Amino acid sequence: MENTRQQKIAKQIQKDIAEILQQELPEVVRGSLVTVTAVRVSPDFAYAKIYVSVFPFDRNAAIMESLNRHVRPIRGFLGQRLRNQIKNIPELQFFLDDSLEYIEHIDDALKR
């Protein structure tokens, strides 16, 4: 169960990561629409799991590899934005949120 502070920090990280990918590091996601769908923060704020959705779906592997290669600069930009809110910037882990792909698959199956 997340407390209120965890939820607030998670929402702020979600917003900041989305802005970082758009403004600071657009080459990481070039040619794809990447949405930060959720962020889960550990109770001690040491780790943050970031769930992203990628469109088009066939670029999932390439985008996830690119995100994992650029974790350090993303964390650096995040640190600049969060430095007055939390003491230690969490370690970032990116995970693929494939719920949109699953929904499209179900929708296609229902249309048949």
Side-chain angles (χ1 to χ4, degrees), residues 14-48:
Q14 181 177 0
K15 178 180 168 280
D16 288 341
I17 293 290
E19 289 176 359
I20 289 167
L21 293 177
Q22 276 185 331
Q23 299 167 1
E24 310 291 343
L25 297 168
E27 67 276 3
V28 173
V29 296
R30 179 125 7 245
S32 297
L33 175 65
V34 176
T35 305
V36 180
T37 57
V39 174
R40 302 281 182 256
V41 181
S42 65
D44 61 353
F45 302 108
Y47 298 96

Side-chain angles (χ1 to χ4, degrees), residues 30-94:
R30 179 125 7 245
S32 297
L33 175 65
V34 176
T35 305
V36 180
T37 57
V39 174
R40 302 281 182 256
V41 181
S42 65
D44 61 353
F45 302 108
Y47 298 96
K49 292 181 178 180
I50 301 162
Y51 295 89
V52 295
S53 177
V54 179
F55 186 82
F57 304 125
D58 60 347
R59 301 229 345 137
N60 286 346
I63 294 298
M64 292 307 294
E65 180 183 329
S66 179
L67 285 170
N68 288 321
R69 245 190 354 256
H70 291 89
V71 165
R72 290 185 63 84
I74 293 171
R75 187 171 180 241
F77 284 118
L78 184 64
Q80 292 173 2
R81 292 167 182 251
L82 293 178
R83 68 176 172 251
N84 296 328
Q85 297 174 25
I86 56 177
K87 188 187 302 186
N88 297 322
I89 303 305
E91 293 289 329
L92 306 179
Q93 297 175 313
F94 288 96

